Amino acid sequence: SRPVRISVHLHPYGNGRTLLLSRDVTALEQADAMRRDFVANVSHEIRTPLTVLTGFVETLQTLPLDADERSRYLAMMAQQAARMQSVVQDLLTLSRLEGSPLPGMSEWTPVLALMHRCEEEGRALSALLTQNQQRHHVLQFPSVQELRAEGDIAGVPSELQSVLSNLISNAVRYTPASGTITVQWRRAADGSATFSVSDTGPGIAPEHLPRLTERFYRVDRSRSRETGGTGLGLAIVKHVVQRHGAVLDISSVPGKGSVFSVTFPANRLRCPALPDGSPPA
Ligand code: ADP
């Protein structure tokens, strides 16, 4: 049982009588507290790289550095600036999502193209993160043949792309170099279809699962930052998934790995007819 906050106003209205007005302000206060938390989080996420950046500027201004040192400092400064840029970019994405109308059934995203683009991105990110290591991620994607007859998903291509690429990027970023990341697309008997991103990474303890899609919620802060995370990826995923009438499911076994899956109902999918006119099997 949560505490309930009641606001009470007394209005005298003549003859010594008083009107008592009471209002349940629990939800209002909670919304207000959430807004304050959010502003504090944003400020912190921007201020940290800004402090580092300022420190580097001062160093460059005061210390006599040789060309090599200078370029090393400039590279680190660029990294901090990039970090601020990603936070702002993700915040803008979230606020745009909140303000825009629900995606209708007039725009379609081909499953094949979606997977293809995300595969390229995932491989590039894995190559970047494991470049100085002997072992590399194993990335498994459905083949073009498997996806050829898979048709389209109703919805905004750039938004659906951001869902899949956020999930793949998380799998790659949290899974050690020797791990395996598997992306699948499966149709169920009821006509719905699910894409899933599984990894053999560290997994997530059950108590964190319900909070993962909250803005700036992170299980492992340092790993998130180190690999360029903003803490907003899953909040964006959840938003887009809901807007598209889909369902996000997260399951994880600590020490073994995680599976993030997104299921689209049959009415948001369309299959191409085969050349002979019959629907695909
Ligand atoms: P971040 O930018 O920190 O990755 P996200 O919103 O994408 O932010 O994810 C929130 C948190 O969920 C991460 O900080 C991480 O602790 C956890 N997480 C997300 N995906 C995975 C995964 N595949 N394996 C383990 N932990 C994950």
Side-chain angles (χ1 to χ4, degrees):
S1 62
R2 287 210 210 110
V4 173
R5 301 273 291 181
I6 308 282
S7 114
V8 177
H9 289 275
L10 299 174
H11 291 279
Y13 67 103
N15 288 346
R17 288 184 298 179
T18 303
L19 181 68
L20 184 145
L21 286 177
S22 74
R23 197 155 67 112
D24 178 354
V25 291
T26 321
L28 266 179
E29 289 203 350
Q30 274 169 358
D32 206 42
M34 273 174 66
R35 192 188 51 75
R36 277 197 308 270
D37 270 4
F38 178 66
V39 172
N41 277 329
V42 171
S43 314
H44 177 79
E45 296 295 331
I46 304 278
R47 199 177 48 195
T48 312
L50 205 51
T51 308
V52 181
L53 202 54
T54 314
F56 285 140
V57 170
E58 275 167 21
T59 309
L60 282 176
Q61 283 171 331
T62 50
L63 290 186
L65 299 172
D66 63 31
D68 267 5
E69 286 169 323
R70 271 184 84 81
S71 66
R72 213 161 45 82
Y73 271 83
L74 287 171
M76 292 189 286
M77 288 165 72
Q79 216 172 29
Q80 297 303 320
R83 189 173 141 195
M84 287 193 288
Q85 225 155 24
S86 329
V87 175
V88 172
Q89 184 66 49
D90 280 357
L91 284 169
L92 285 175
T93 301
L94 269 173
S95 95
R96 212 183 41 233
L97 284 173
E98 279 169 347
S100 59
L102 290 182
M105 307 293 281
S106 55
E107 254 188 296
W108 294 91
T109 302
V111 175
L112 180 62
L114 177 70
M115 290 281 180
H116 186 65
R117 226 169 296 137
C118 292
E119 176 169 356
E120 281 182 350
E121 264 182 30
R123 289 194 189 283
L125 181 63
S126 164
L128 187 74
L129 291 176
T130 61
Q131 62 183 343
N132 298 320
Q133 303 178 38
Q134 301 206 316
R135 308 196 68 166
H136 301 278
H137 295 119
V138 177
L139 293 169
Q140 299 174 328
F141 284 83
S143 68
V144 171
Q145 285 79 358
E146 283 174 272
L147 291 176
R148 195 151 268 154
E150 283 303 333
D152 312 309
I153 307 170
V156 186
S158 60
E159 290 185 25
L160 294 173
Q161 159 110 28
S162 78
V163 168
L164 193 53
S165 54
N166 264 306
L167 296 179
I168 294 171
S169 137
N170 279 353
V172 169
R173 287 167 42 236
Y174 294 104
T175 303
S178 53
T180 301
I181 290 128
T182 308
V183 180
Q184 290 182 313
W185 171 261
R186 280 216 212 90
R187 249 168 218 286
D190 65 0
S192 66
T194 300
F195 63 68
S196 60
V197 179
S198 328
D199 65 58
T200 57
I204 302 154
E207 66 267 25
H208 295 295
L209 292 181
R211 299 198 57 191
L212 281 193
T213 57
E214 283 174 23
R215 294 161 187 211
F216 299 117
Y217 189 85
R218 296 166 168 118
V219 178
D220 178 352
R221 267 175 195 278
S222 58
R223 179 83 191 134
S224 164
R225 296 245 171 76
E226 224 172 82
T227 55
T230 60
L232 294 169
L234 289 179
I236 294 175
V237 166
K238 183 184 156 191
H239 252 285
V240 175
V241 164
Q242 279 177 347
R243 281 163 57 74
H244 284 78
V247 176
L248 171 69
D249 185 69
I250 310 174
S251 63
S252 189
V253 181
K256 285 232 166 0
S258 312
V259 184
F260 290 75
S261 51
V262 177
T263 299
F264 295 89
N267 67 2
R268 296 200 73 96
L269 301 165
R270 85 177 169 191
C271 275
L274 293 181
D276 65 3
S278 62

